[in-house]
Amino acid sequence: MNLLILDRKKYIPALILCLAVLICMIIVVIFNSSSDSETTLPGTWICLDQPEIQMEIKENLICMNGLTFPYELSLPLVSSPTRQQPQAFVLDAGSMGVMGGLFFFEDNNLYLEIDSQVRIFSRVQS
């Protein structure tokens, strides 16, 4: 019977600690979601070397010149991919199979490597 009676004074420090952790997590999420839009993958991109190659990237889809391919980011997730620490991903290319790739941002451009071919894309301003 004594197990059901809780002394609230014992649990106040733990409650305050949990509340502080929750507030910190909310601040981190807000800070990460307000990052510069130039370093986010979703959007419309055009290849600098071959302007006829245009691509629209959505949450889990890459649409390139009318062809749509699902993709998934590989672990570990990189919050701001750079040349030194690119983000890996896997692209389902249908009949061509599954291909691995890397991407990173440099000078507001997207560097995309798929199947050992690197293309540089610039964001199309909307």
Side-chain angles (χ1 to χ4, degrees):
M1 190 65 138
N2 288 339
L3 294 174
L4 297 176
I5 300 173
L6 300 175
D7 185 11
R8 293 182 188 160
K9 292 180 184 179
K10 288 182 181 179
Y11 298 103
I12 289 178
L15 181 62
I16 291 172
L17 179 64
C18 289
L19 187 59
V21 168
L22 180 63
I23 290 170
C24 288
M25 289 173 55
I26 291 171
I27 290 170
V28 167
V29 168
I30 290 171
F31 178 73
N32 285 339
S33 66
S34 66
S35 64
D36 185 13
S37 66
E38 295 299 320
T39 60
T40 60
L41 194 55
T44 303
W45 300 86
I46 188 165
C47 184
L48 295 178
D49 301 335
Q50 297 174 303
E52 66 273 5
I53 299 177
Q54 294 186 8
M55 138 175 100
E56 184 177 352
I57 302 177
K58 298 177 183 175
E59 183 82 22
N60 291 317
L61 295 173
I62 295 177
C63 301
M64 190 175 293
N65 290 356
L67 301 173
T68 302
F69 306 102
Y71 75 93
E72 288 185 21
L73 300 180
S74 302
L75 295 177
L77 297 178
V78 180
S79 60
S80 295
T82 62
R83 185 180 297 270
Q84 292 76 26
Q85 189 177 17
Q87 173 64 59
F89 67 96
V90 178
L91 179 75
D92 182 0
S95 62
M96 294 184 289
V98 176
M99 296 184 208
L102 300 169
F103 72 87
F104 63 91
F105 300 99
E106 189 173 273
D107 298 329
N108 294 328
N109 291 324
L110 168 66
Y111 287 71
L112 183 66
E113 178 184 332
I114 299 175
D115 199 30
S116 300
Q117 294 184 6
V118 178
R119 297 278 186 249
I120 304 169
F121 290 86
S122 178
R123 186 180 296 275
V124 175
Q125 301 300 324
S126 51

